[in-house]
Every structure is written in C-alpha cells, then in structure tokens.
Amino acid sequence: MNKSSMRGIFLSIALLFSITLIAIPNNVYGEEISANSIGLEETTIIEFTNELDKEINTFRIWLGADFNFKSFKTEKGWVGEKTPQGVIIFTTSEPIKKGESVKFGVKTDNKNPGINWKAIDTRSEQQGMGKVLPKELPKVVENTEITPTKKPEGAGILSESVFRIIPEKPNAGSSIRVTGDNFGASHEFDFYIDNSKIGSFVTDENGHFMTTMKIPQNQNADRVDFKVKDSEGEEKKISLRIGEVDNRIPETDNIKLTIKGISNVIYRGDFLEISGTGKPNSAVTAEIKNPDGDIINSRTAEVDAKGNWRLAEPIIIPLDTPFGKYSATITDGRENILKSWTVESDKKIIITPSKLKFEPGEVMKFNGTALPNKSIELILEDPLGKELFSDIMQLDESGFVKFEYTTEQSSPKGTYTLIATQEKDTEFIFAGLGQLPTIPVNLEFDELNYSAGDTAIISFTGKPSEIVSLLIIDPSDKPKGESISITLGGDGTAEYQLDLSGYASGVYSAVVSKGSAQNSEVFTVGLQTGSGEIQINTTKLDYRPGDSILILGDTAKNVLLTITLTDPDGNIIKERETFSDKNGKVSESSFRIPSDGKGGMWTISAKSGANFDIIEIEVIATVTEGIQITVEEGAEIPGYGKTLQIKVVGVSQTVTLDIVTEDGQVIESLSFQASSQGEINQPWIIPKDTEPGTYTIKVSDAFTSGETTFEIN
C-alpha cells in the first residue's frame, strides 16, 4: 500500500502531514497495532501501523460522551461509514500488511478528543484496541490587527516576491497557512480570494511573512485566484482549486425534501439544471404532468450521504412544448412536494442546440426562431471566451434560425456559448463539447447611462443557489468599495439594486465572478449628449460580406453617442448606443457586414444630440445564383499523391462535401467552415486505390445545396 500521506483531507490537514506524528504510548493498549495522532483545532489525524503478521482490513473508532464526529476522510482504497451509535467503521479491499500504515482524518465538534479504536483482521478477529489522545500543534498568530508605526519605504510587491498556500489543495470553510518571501519589509498587505478580501498582515524586516487565513464556508468549490495586494494595488497571485469537504456527516437524517432550478415561469428553449435536498442515501422520483393532467415524463435521482440530489443531465425545454401550467410531484419515499410552473412565450429569440453534448469533430447544430423579416447576429464563443464565428443573418417571414459549426478533434472541451442578438434582445445558448455544459454567470444592466444618485438594476443569471461576487471598477481602474456577495435564486437568477449616490461622472465596469471565471459589463454615470464635434472613421474603406468593422472616432470626453450601420437600400442593419472615454476617444467593434450583405455603398453615422458625422464604406459582394462548384487538378504532394483543388462559392457556416461514385457509394465526406466571403477552397488528396471514372461532388450548407461531376483519370 502506498504509505504517502493522503492529500486534501481538510485545509488544515496537509500542514499536519509535514510534521512527525507524535506517539502517545501510555494511552495505547494494543501492543502489535500502534496508533499515533496529532490535532489542530477540531481536526485530528490518526495513523495506525500494523506490526503483526496478519492483515488488517477494518478499523473502528468512537468518541467519549462529550464529543461527536462532524466529518471524516479516508485514504484512497478505504471507505468509511458512521453508524447510528456514533461509531465510524473504516474498511478496505486492500488490507494493510506488516510494516504498513494507514491514516484517517476526522473533524469533531470540540477540540482534543480522546479517540477509542479497534483493529480487525481479514478473518473478522480483533487484533488490537486502545485509546489515543492528539497532541495539538502551536497556533500561528493571525495578523488581523494592523498597527504599523510609520509608512514603510519602497515598493511592497517586488518582481521576486513569492508566496504559497499550505495545503495546496484547500477546502471551503477551513484554515490555511500563507507564507511568503521577498516582499517589501514591514509593509502591510491584504489577502484576497478572487475579489473578496479575507484578511491582512504585515511582513517582517526581511520581507517574510507567515500567517493563517480562513476560507469562507460559502466559498464555491472551484478554481480561484489567491492574491496578495499592497497599498498601491499591485498584486501577486496564484491559482488553486478549492475543494469540498468530502464525507460530511449530516447532523440529522431529517433533511427536508426540496427542489431547485425551476422558476414559476419558464420558456421554450430554457436550459434547466434541477437539484435539491432529500433523505440521505435514498432516491427521489418526479412525475411531470402537462396542462391536461397527463403524466408526460418521469425522472429519478439518487440522494447522496449529505442529503443532496441532482439530475444527471440538464433539461432543455423543447421548442414545441405546449403553453400552459405544468406540475411535478416529487417524493423521496418519506414525503411529497408539488412544484408548479407555467410555460409562456414572451421570449423573442428561442434557439436550442440539437443536443446538449457534442463530441470533438462533430458538427454543432442550433436551430430555433426569432422575429421574422429582421436580421439577427450570432456569435459563437469557445470555453475560453474566444470568438470562433460570427455573422449577421437576415431572417425570412418564418423567422427560422439555423446555425452550424464544425469542431475539430483538437477543439477545447467545455461549454460553448452561442450569443444571439436581435434589436435590443440578447439570449445565451449553451452546448458542451466532450462534456455536458454548465451555466456560466452573466450580468446585465437595465440601462447604459445613469445620473448620479440613480439606482441601477443589475440582473444576474447562473447556476441555481450559487453565490457570486460583484465588484465595481471606477473610471481610474480601481475597485470602488469592497466586493458584494450575491446569492442566486432557485431558478438561477437574481436582481441587485446598485445605489449610484456619490458616483462621479465616467465609465465604470461591473465584474461578476465565481471562482476563477468572471464576466463584466460596462455602465456609465453622468454622461451627456451633444457636447462637441464628432469625427469617426474605419480602419479600411472596402469590405466584403461577413467582415467585421472597427469604428474609431474623436469627440468630447465622456459623451453618449448612437452609431448606426445602413445598407445601400436604406435599411438599418444595426444601431448601438456607445460612449467616448475620458480622453474623448471612440472605439466600437461590434459592427459587422452580414454574410449576405448587398454590394454597394454603405453608411455609418454617429450622432450625439445635435452633433453628428456620416462616413461611407464600400461593400464588394460576389453575386452568385446558388452554389458554384469547381474541381480542378491540384498539385502532387510528396508521400501522399495527387490532389484535386475544390472551390465552392456562395456558401455559409459549416459546409459538407460528399465524394460519390457512379453507383452512389460515398467514398469520402469532408466538412469545412466557409470563409467570411462565403467560399471554400481546399485540396482533396485522391485515395491511392481510387479507380478512374466519373465522380460526383455534393455540397450543402445550412441553407442550400448543389453538385457537379468531375473525372479521375
């Protein structure tokens, strides 16, 4: 058995493993099984060493009358169970042999418990028993009260400054040790988790520090940034994942049956993550009834030892779901609850993926509806927030939306986000690649610009009951006040009213974060219109369909503007409210020529009160009737053979090409992403065993199809 110390028991435990365990022989009665322990606050580590020739596969531990177990942790390969009498039984399928040892971690409701134990071998025979008392480590003094006598000289954060967290795999709700070197001597520093300050400390005369901090109990189990900041805002940070405390023993089995993740009103296309609480180690069953009272679906989920349950997969409300009132009866075998909701249709954009989880190399497919006879902008972002594809599509009278994107085997796995915007409405649609998607946190303001003293309404969406952190960044790029903790509701939404009293005029940012993931939105306070001459320009004069447009300009500082893009027929393609910064600069990159944009002279106008400026750009569009396909002889690639050059014009999004023999057999299928000009230009390596003859290439995208023949000699 691996004798190395187990990792990640509790935040304080990894520290204990670096110290030699202290034996207390006067309190140990088993001569052939030795027991040693050490404790820090309510946490105790026990190590059992087998000196017998017999193999040990079971340990039982229990406490005195004044103590109770709160939680425990085992080494890999061992499992633990707490009986109603308060005894924890550890068992394994890999018994420890002579000379081997095993460690267990326990947390109790009081400090320094005396722990009784019994060792049992593989024949269920007792091989030893005793009682062990932990020796407590000296505490590290926390630097929470800062009383420097004078302001230190020099910088606080230096290029060679380093710090670390002990343990490296901390858990929520427990203490950690933070130690660092090569910081400014006798400086005061603040310690943060992401944007939340949790403590302060002062370095010694050598720039060294060692202190303890406590991670909040409600901290999410996720990757976070631990930061050390000086008084000038400079920082050093390390990124670690905060874990959950495993094997938490509920104080009672009488946990109330609840359900989260369903709001009172839901819409077609909604993405729901359903969870709740119930009787530990049981199962919950839900029967869903439609407006007519008929059972249309049933779901089952297991309740874990802590009383939590979650559906294995999120639910997407189908686009054809009838409107009306629905209900679900949920039971855990002990009690029943009734949850009701209404399916309504006030969403203007309703788009869903064809499935929640795609595999690398597959084509991601989305479809739905939006307002007919209007344009819609679609942007697809990967799990890192990188824009993969964007387009502006003109919808017909049906309002049907269809979008496809071809992934690669090397595409990053995670949650992909399709952002659909039509007029002033925006929807976020999620799909997973290589895994099920998760709901990221988003925020939205009810306005762009406010007056000083107004109340800004901020709407949040994310995972149900999640705690997120909100931080406001002022026009000088410094935090305005402390971060604000916001708890999302059972439907994954929340609303926060931000009082803008005392806010100076300027451009602000609101940053919402959970773990290391974050999102931000810009809002302004006190900006005016019509305060001076406007001059705008673009980075080039000629564009093609699908091209993005970067609009730059100059005007008075902190001014509101409205920018409008108009096609040659006078149709407004996009209109957006924006602003100039504190230097009077304008920069707007959200405009794009639609993939089916008409050739000719387009106009871009910027207006602020009575002031305005208009410029023209030329869109050069290749007019094609349907798909145009050409197949020509290509170059010969050493080691691979001859190629054919396939060129397709008049396509968009994901394009599929099938090479078909005369008898209808598909010998190869290819898939490519069309360029912003609506073209595919790719070589095809002719397989070495391909027979001469006439072949057909069939081409299709999300909207149309075509084919042509070619010869292989």
Side-chain angles (χ1 to χ4, degrees):
M1 172 175 289
N2 187 346
K3 299 181 182 179
S4 63
S5 61
M6 59 182 175
R7 299 176 181 174
I9 294 178
F10 305 102
L11 289 176
S12 57
I13 289 176
L15 172 62
L16 304 183
F17 284 163
S18 64
I19 310 296
T20 302
L21 295 174
I22 307 300
I24 312 176
N26 292 336
N27 294 320
V28 179
Y29 306 110
E31 296 179 355
E32 304 294 345
I33 303 289
S34 64
N36 305 293
S37 71
I38 195 167
L40 176 64
E41 297 180 342
E42 292 85 10
T43 298
T44 303
I45 301 298
I46 314 169
E47 181 181 36
F48 295 104
T49 302
N50 182 14
E51 300 298 342
L52 292 170
D53 292 327
K54 298 182 179 181
E55 298 181 350
I56 305 297
N57 68 345
T58 301
F59 287 95
R60 297 171 179 258
I61 63 172
W62 64 97
L63 301 170
D66 297 330
F67 294 88
N68 295 288
F69 289 117
K70 294 178 65 178
S71 61
F72 63 86
K73 183 68 176 181
T74 68
E75 282 191 0
K76 184 178 181 181
W78 288 75
V79 295
E81 179 184 2
K82 179 174 178 283
T83 69
Q85 292 75 31
V87 178
I88 296 181
I89 304 173
F90 298 111
T91 59
T92 182
S93 59
E94 300 177 7
I96 58 172
K97 301 177 177 61
K98 183 175 182 179
E100 294 182 340
S101 63
V102 63
K103 294 184 179 124
F104 303 107
V106 296
K107 195 166 186 178
T108 55
D109 55 358
N110 289 301
K111 300 178 182 179
N112 300 321
I115 300 178
N116 304 286
W117 61 270
K118 181 186 295 185
I120 300 173
D121 66 14
T122 54
R123 295 185 178 182
S124 299
E125 296 178 358
Q126 178 178 315
Q127 295 299 329
M129 67 180 296
K131 183 176 182 180
V132 62
L133 294 172
K135 183 173 181 179
E136 189 171 8
L137 286 177
K139 296 181 179 179
V140 179
V141 178
E142 297 187 32
N143 292 316
T144 54
E145 298 294 331
I146 308 299
T147 56
T149 57
K150 63 178 181 178
K151 185 175 180 179
E153 298 179 356
I157 301 289
L158 308 175
S159 59
E160 62 270 22
S161 299
V162 293
F163 74 98
R164 64 190 181 104
I165 306 295
I166 303 172
E168 294 182 349
K169 294 183 178 180
N171 293 319
S174 296
S175 298
I176 56 175
R177 178 170 286 184
V178 188
T179 180
D181 290 287
N182 301 321
F183 287 81
S186 304
H187 274 67
E188 177 184 347
F189 295 88
D190 294 327
F191 187 73
Y192 285 78
I193 297 180
D194 287 330
N195 296 316
S196 299
K197 179 180 173 181
I198 65 171
S200 300
F201 61 89
V202 172
T203 53
D204 63 17
E205 65 275 9
N206 298 315
H208 169 79
F209 71 89
M210 179 179 290
T211 184
T212 58
M213 298 288 173
K214 188 174 181 65
I215 298 178
Q217 190 72 38
N218 60 2
Q219 177 67 47
N220 292 325
D222 207 339
R223 182 167 290 277
V224 302
D225 288 333
F226 291 93
K227 303 176 183 178
V228 173
K229 289 188 178 182
D230 64 13
S231 59
E232 301 300 321
E234 297 295 324
E235 66 179 43
K236 283 283 183 178
K237 66 180 180 180
I238 55 176
S239 180
L240 297 175
R241 181 172 294 279
I242 291 180
E244 295 178 314
V245 179
D246 294 333
N247 297 320
R248 178 69 64 183
I249 302 172
E251 295 180 0
T252 175
D253 286 343
N254 189 27
I255 297 178
K256 185 178 180 181
L257 180 63
T258 64
I259 184 172
K260 298 182 291 185
I262 303 178
S263 59
N264 293 330
V265 177
I266 62 177
Y267 306 97
R268 290 174 172 176
D270 273 2
F271 179 96
L272 307 178
E273 290 187 321
I274 312 299
S275 62
T277 60
K279 181 181 178 181
N281 299 313
S282 66
V284 296
T285 301
E287 291 185 343
I288 302 173
K289 295 182 179 180
N290 65 12
D292 297 327
D294 301 323
I295 297 176
I296 59 173
N297 202 345
S298 63
R299 295 290 184 101
T300 301
E302 293 184 356
V303 185
D304 64 21
K306 295 180 283 186
N308 298 316
W309 63 268
R310 177 181 298 274
L311 290 187
E313 293 188 5
I315 296 175
I316 292 183
I317 305 301
L319 299 179
D320 58 355
T321 300
F323 300 126
K325 187 174 183 179
Y326 290 73
S327 64
T329 302
I330 300 98
T331 179
D332 61 359
R334 180 189 58 184
E335 58 179 312
N336 300 321
I337 59 173
L338 180 67
K339 173 65 178 178
S340 300
W341 66 92
T342 303
V343 177
E344 296 182 357
S345 178
D346 69 347
K347 278 190 175 182
K348 298 176 182 178
I349 302 172
I350 304 176
I351 300 174
T352 61
S354 60
K355 56 183 179 180
L356 283 175
K357 178 183 175 183
F358 297 91
E359 296 300 331
E362 278 192 282
V363 177
M364 283 186 166
K365 297 181 179 181
F366 301 81
N367 59 71
T369 59
L371 294 176
N373 301 315
K374 294 182 181 292
S375 61
I376 185 170
E377 182 179 33
L378 300 176
I379 299 174
L380 182 67
E381 294 181 350
D382 72 4
L384 302 177
K386 177 184 177 183
E387 182 178 309
L388 300 175
F389 183 87
S390 62
D391 193 11
I392 298 176
M393 303 166 52
Q394 182 64 35
L395 304 184
D396 59 19
E397 63 276 2
S398 69
F400 183 71
V401 180
K402 185 176 182 180
F403 175 78
E404 297 180 354
Y405 180 80
T406 302
T407 64
E408 305 290 342
Q409 290 294 336
S410 59
S411 297
K413 296 179 180 180
T415 299
Y416 285 67
T417 305
L418 180 65
I419 306 170
T421 303
Q422 190 179 51
E423 296 182 333
K424 293 185 178 181
D425 295 301
T426 298
E427 294 292 338
F428 298 87
I429 303 97
F430 309 109
L433 186 67
Q435 63 186 54
L436 289 170
T438 58
I439 303 176
V441 63
N442 288 298
L443 75 162
E444 185 177 357
F445 282 80
D446 60 333
E447 301 286 348
L448 172 64
N449 185 57
Y450 302 89
S451 299
D454 283 354
T455 299
I457 307 298
I458 311 175
S459 300
F460 297 88
T461 58
K463 291 183 179 179
S465 305
E466 190 165 46
I467 299 175
V468 299
S469 177
L470 174 67
L471 183 67
I472 305 300
I473 307 298
D474 68 17
S476 60
D477 296 328
K478 293 183 178 179
K480 186 172 179 62
E482 299 292 335
S483 61
I484 304 164
S485 293
I486 296 171
T487 302
L488 304 184
D491 60 351
T493 66
E495 193 174 89
Y496 182 78
Q497 297 185 2
L498 179 64
D499 184 5
L500 301 178
S501 298
Y503 277 59
S505 295
V507 180
Y508 293 77
S509 295
V511 181
V512 61
S513 60
K514 58 168 185 176
S516 59
Q518 65 179 32
N519 204 343
S520 64
E521 282 291 332
V522 171
F523 68 99
T524 62
V525 176
L527 271 58
Q528 305 295 322
T529 60
S531 299
E533 181 183 0
I534 302 172
Q535 290 184 343
I536 60 171
N537 57 77
T538 57
T539 54
K540 59 183 182 178
L541 298 177
D542 298 336
Y543 292 84
R544 292 184 178 275
D547 283 354
S548 61
I549 307 170
L550 175 59
I551 302 169
L552 304 174
D554 292 281
T555 185
K557 65 179 182 179
N558 294 337
V559 170
L560 289 174
L561 306 95
T562 301
I563 298 179
T564 306
L565 175 66
T566 307
D567 71 10
D569 295 330
N571 300 312
I572 295 177
I573 302 302
K574 184 172 183 176
E575 189 171 75
R576 180 178 176 86
E577 190 176 26
T578 186
F579 52 86
S580 61
D581 64 16
K582 57 187 177 183
N583 299 313
K585 299 294 183 181
V586 178
S587 179
E588 182 59 58
S589 59
S590 66
F591 285 80
R592 181 179 299 274
I593 304 296
S595 59
D596 59 352
K598 184 177 182 179
M601 301 306 296
W602 292 52
T603 61
I604 301 173
S605 66
K607 187 175 186 299
S608 180
N611 304 104
F612 66 92
D613 190 22
I614 299 176
I615 61 172
E616 288 187 335
I617 59 173
E618 184 177 6
V619 174
I620 302 172
T622 302
V623 180
T624 60
E625 293 295 334
I627 296 178
Q628 294 184 358
I629 309 167
T630 58
V631 181
E632 299 176 348
E633 184 177 351
E636 184 169 351
I637 302 176
Y640 292 92
K642 295 182 179 181
T643 67
L644 292 176
Q645 194 71 23
I646 301 173
K647 184 174 183 180
V648 185
V649 178
V651 287
S652 62
Q653 299 185 22
T654 299
V655 182
T656 302
L657 296 80
D658 290 332
I659 311 296
V660 186
T661 64
E662 289 183 280
D663 58 3
Q665 179 184 358
V666 178
I667 62 172
E668 189 159 3
S669 292
L670 307 171
S671 183
F672 302 101
Q673 201 72 28
S675 69
S676 59
Q677 289 76 41
E679 298 180 358
I680 295 288
N681 194 353
Q682 292 286 342
W684 175 58
I685 300 173
I686 303 173
K688 293 181 179 180
D689 57 352
T690 302
E691 297 181 357
T694 301
Y695 291 80
T696 301
I697 179 171
K698 297 183 178 181
V699 180
S700 62
D701 64 8
F703 307 100
T704 187
S705 61
E707 63 181 58
T708 190
T709 59
F710 62 93
E711 298 290 332
I712 295 181
N713 300 319

